[in-house]
């Protein structure tokens, strides 16, 4: 084993250069694909390509394991080289923490069904935090070390150091071949001629503030200005800063009157209040509604098609239930108290005609649709919800009315719901057209409902 490691570490300087190169490309690909995956504009434009992009992100993310493991094998020699360079040590530790953190949290998110919602929530938060903090750092680190920024006035090896002294010092790091490669890493290309200069040759005056230092500072300020607001926004959305339902309702563009009044079980909520925070994903701009432009209908293969305006709809008898809410991207909100009308109740009231195969749901954004089978629609906890934790549902979360299917991932729970249609065939929903599973069962849900799994 010792011989194998020694052989593997031989010429480690060149290997570190190669690792740095490949790792940089891995980070670039992960950064680009990751930003495309979370961007609302790209979610719509990419279509089915988003699924392929997700798999590319996963595969490249797993490939990150190779350079990390390889570096750890070479780390002991590299660490000796950095013994008098504390800032380079700090940089190495930061990069390793970022890479390992991304790798572990990414694997948990990839296997979120096995990990469960609690681990997935923590992994998503970690992944996002590392991205918001680490990506600007890595961009800064990479840009400020590009070849055109190398400054001959900033030397790792002093111009007065003789070649003999340099060799004598570097011999402690290993063989002569390794010394050359190590010097290639620690010394900029433009500086490597410094060791050949005569000890008596006068040095150029050292500037107080070099061009390289100026550009580093400029890049740092630029990144702070451009990426800082993104990080602050992320913190606000995901770390409980102004992210409550109350704050959403204060800015709610919906203007519905009268507001629904909570049942006794909703105020205070029997679930004790939701645990966690919703992330707002949409495929269109968030629509807004008022009494004038809102209606709700149930039609298709029903005996009694019906249409309600808001005043009529808000008077319908409602029930209250507590359930967890799980997004397919890996986050969850627990113990939500929903108040609304049971889907089974609406279907019974409308009367289902023979031949009805699926229940199709329409979003008020005019784009999003989804469907479940008639068998699946018999689940008791599917609700057409109008309240969450005793308060109206804000537009950001799909209000004034949204679908809630607790046993399935949330892309089935259509936001801004305003129409239910019974149809005689299967319907492929918005995200199913783009590669998502038609049956969005949570882990174990299909086993709990074996007769309605398809």
């Amino acid at each position: 084993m010792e011989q194998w490691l020694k052989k593997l570490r031989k010429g480690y300087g060149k290997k570190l250069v190669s690792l740095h190169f490949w790792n940089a490309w891995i980070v670039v690909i992960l950064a680009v694909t990751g930003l495309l995956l979370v961007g609302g504009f790209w979610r719509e434009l990419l279509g089915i390509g988003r699924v392929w992009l997700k798999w590319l992100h996963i595969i490249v993310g797993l490939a990150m394991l190779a350079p990390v493991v390889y570096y750890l094998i070479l780390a002991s020699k590299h660490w000796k080289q950095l013994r008098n360079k504390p800032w380079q040590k700090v940089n190495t530790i930061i990069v390793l923490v970022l890479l390992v953190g991304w790798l572990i949290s990414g694997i948990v998110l990839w296997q979120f069904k096995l990990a469960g919602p609690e681990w997935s929530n923590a992994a998503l938060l970690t992944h996002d935090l590392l991205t918001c903090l680490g990506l600007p750092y890595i961009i800064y680190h990479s840009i400020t070390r590009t070849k055109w920024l190398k400054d001959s006035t900033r030397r790792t090896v002093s111009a007065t150091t003789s070649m003999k002294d340099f060799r004598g010092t570097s011999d402690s790091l290993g063989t002569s071949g390794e010394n050359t490669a190590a010097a290639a890493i620690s010394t900029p290309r433009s500086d490597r001629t410094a060791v050949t200069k005569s000890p008596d040759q006068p040095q150029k005056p050292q500037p107080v503030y070099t061009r390289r230092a100026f550009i580093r500072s400029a890049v740092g300020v630029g990144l702070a200005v451009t990426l800082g607001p993104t990080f602050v926004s992320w913190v606000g959305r995901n770390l409980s800063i102004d992210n409550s339902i109350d704050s959403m309702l204060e800015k709610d563009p919906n203007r519905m009157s009268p507001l629904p009044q909570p049942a006794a079980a909703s105020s205070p909520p029997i679930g004790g209040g939701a645990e966690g925070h919703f992330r707002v994903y949409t495929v269109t701009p968030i629509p807004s509604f008022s009494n004038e432009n809102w209606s709700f209908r149930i039609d298709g293969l029903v005996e009694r098609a019906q249409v309600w305006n808001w005043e009529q709809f808000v008077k319908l008898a409602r029930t209250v239930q507590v359930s967890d809410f799980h997004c397919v991207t890996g986050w969850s909100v627990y113990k939500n108290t929903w108040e609304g009308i049971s889907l089974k109740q609406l279907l019974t009231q409308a009367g289902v005609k023979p031949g009805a195969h699926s229940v199709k749901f329409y979003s008020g954004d005019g784009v999003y649709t989804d469907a479940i089978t008639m068998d699946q629609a018999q689940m008791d906890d599917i609700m057409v919800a109008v309240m969450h934790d005793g308060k109206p549902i804000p537009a950001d979360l799909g209000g004034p009315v949204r679908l809630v299917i607790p046993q399935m991932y949330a892309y089935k729970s259509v936001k801004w719901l305003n129409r239910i249609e019974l149809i005689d065939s299967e319907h492929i929903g918005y995200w199913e057209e783009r590669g998502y599973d038609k049956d969005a069962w949570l882990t174990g849900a299909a086993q709990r409902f074996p007769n309605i799994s398809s």
Side-chain angles (χ1 to χ4, degrees):
M1 182 69 174
E2 210 172 298
Q3 290 296 323
W4 178 78
L5 286 175
K6 186 176 180 180
K7 184 177 180 181
L8 197 63
R9 289 168 179 163
K10 187 175 182 181
Y12 86 102
K14 291 181 180 179
K15 291 176 179 177
L16 284 178
V17 172
S18 180
L19 281 178
H20 192 279
F21 173 82
W22 286 108
N23 198 59
W25 275 111
I26 287 174
V27 171
V28 167
I29 295 171
L30 290 177
V32 172
T33 55
L35 292 172
L36 290 177
L37 285 171
V38 300
F41 170 78
W42 295 105
R43 287 165 67 89
E44 170 66 19
L45 186 65
L46 288 170
I48 186 63
R50 187 177 182 275
V51 178
W52 305 334
L53 195 68
K54 178 182 176 182
W55 277 107
L56 175 62
H57 190 80
I58 291 170
I59 292 169
V60 174
L62 291 173
M64 186 190 292
L65 182 63
V68 169
V69 171
Y70 203 179
Y71 173 77
L72 292 176
I73 294 173
L74 305 175
S76 61
K77 300 200 77 172
H78 188 219
W79 211 246
K80 288 179 182 178
Q81 182 192 5
L82 301 180
R83 62 182 177 273
N84 296 320
K85 300 174 182 177
W87 288 113
Q88 290 190 32
K89 282 187 176 181
V90 170
N91 173 70
T92 301
I93 292 171
I94 290 174
V95 172
L96 272 177
V97 168
L98 289 172
L99 296 180
V100 173
W102 273 324
L103 185 61
I104 294 174
S105 59
I107 289 174
V108 173
L109 290 174
W110 171 41
Q111 295 296 329
F112 68 93
K113 289 187 178 181
L114 296 177
E118 291 187 12
W119 282 97
S120 296
N121 266 6
L124 186 60
L125 192 67
T126 301
H127 208 72
D128 284 354
L129 184 59
L130 290 175
T131 299
C132 288
L133 294 176
L135 193 55
Y137 178 83
I138 286 180
I139 293 172
Y140 171 76
H141 176 74
S142 300
I143 291 177
T144 57
R145 282 159 176 77
T146 52
K147 182 178 178 181
W148 66 278
L149 286 178
K150 300 303 182 185
D151 191 332
S152 61
T153 63
R154 298 173 65 87
R155 293 185 171 85
T156 301
V157 182
S158 171
T160 60
T161 304
S162 67
M163 178 64 81
K164 181 178 179 180
D165 292 338
F166 177 69
R167 285 175 180 155
T169 301
S170 61
D171 281 346
S172 63
L173 295 178
T175 64
S176 59
E178 293 166 352
N179 297 337
T180 304
I185 287 187
S186 61
T187 310
R189 182 179 299 275
S190 60
D191 296 349
R192 293 174 198 162
T193 57
V195 298
T196 66
K197 292 185 178 181
S198 168
D200 299 326
Q201 183 175 346
Q203 294 185 359
K204 294 180 180 179
Q206 299 296 312
V208 175
Y209 202 64
T210 66
R211 180 183 65 171
R212 186 181 183 187
F214 172 78
I215 294 177
R216 278 186 174 185
S217 300
V219 170
V221 171
L223 286 174
V225 170
T226 55
L227 298 179
T230 301
F231 176 67
V232 171
S233 174
W234 176 87
V235 170
R237 289 195 310 269
N238 299 299
L239 297 185
S240 306
I241 299 177
D242 195 30
N243 194 33
S244 65
I245 301 296
D246 287 336
S247 66
M248 291 184 185
L249 286 171
E250 286 177 5
K251 300 175 287 187
D252 191 17
N254 289 337
R255 294 291 177 265
M256 314 303 295
S257 180
L259 293 177
Q261 297 303 305
S266 290
S267 185
I270 57 174
E275 297 178 0
H277 298 281
F278 290 91
R279 296 187 175 208
V280 179
Y281 297 152
T282 68
V283 297
T284 66
I286 295 175
S288 61
F289 302 95
S290 65
N291 292 46
E292 286 70 33
N293 69 355
W294 189 91
S295 64
F296 193 97
R297 70 175 60 239
I298 181 167
D299 56 16
L301 296 175
V302 296
E303 301 290 347
R304 297 170 292 278
Q306 293 180 277
V307 180
W308 297 270
N309 61 27
W310 176 254
E311 291 88 347
Q312 294 167 334
F313 191 81
V314 81
K315 291 178 182 177
L316 295 178
R318 301 194 294 267
T319 59
V320 178
Q321 70 180 36
V322 178
S323 59
D324 298 334
F325 186 95
H326 303 291
C327 179
V328 74
T329 59
W331 58 269
S332 303
V333 179
Y334 304 94
K335 299 181 181 178
N336 302 278
T337 299
W338 299 103
E339 182 178 330
I341 304 113
S342 163
L343 177 63
K344 284 179 67 175
Q345 176 186 331
L346 286 173
L347 295 180
T348 299
Q349 185 175 332
V352 179
K353 287 184 176 180
H357 177 276
S358 299
V359 183
K360 182 179 178 181
F361 305 102
Y362 293 81
S363 170
D365 66 4
V367 173
Y368 200 95
T369 62
D370 215 308
I372 56 176
T373 66
M374 287 300 304
D375 285 341
Q376 292 169 345
Q378 301 310 306
M379 288 187 287
D380 293 328
D381 56 359
I382 302 179
M383 175 179 282
V384 177
V386 297
M387 304 195 79
H388 175 268
D389 280 358
K391 298 168 185 173
I393 302 173
D396 283 4
L397 302 186
V401 175
R402 71 164 300 151
L403 186 66
V404 175
I405 307 180
Q407 304 301 328
M408 293 183 173
Y409 284 105
Y411 65 87
K412 284 287 190 177
S413 296
V414 176
K415 293 192 287 190
W416 310 302
L417 183 67
N418 65 359
R419 183 186 175 195
I420 298 173
E421 181 187 17
L422 273 64
I423 58 178
D424 61 2
S425 60
E426 182 181 85
H427 171 71
I428 305 301
Y430 180 90
W431 281 120
E432 287 92 341
E433 286 183 344
R434 292 156 175 81
Y436 280 32
D437 289 340
K438 177 172 63 69
D439 294 320
W441 293 112
L442 299 172
T443 304
Q447 285 71 37
R448 292 196 296 273
F449 301 96
N451 296 325
I452 55 174
S453 59
S454 62

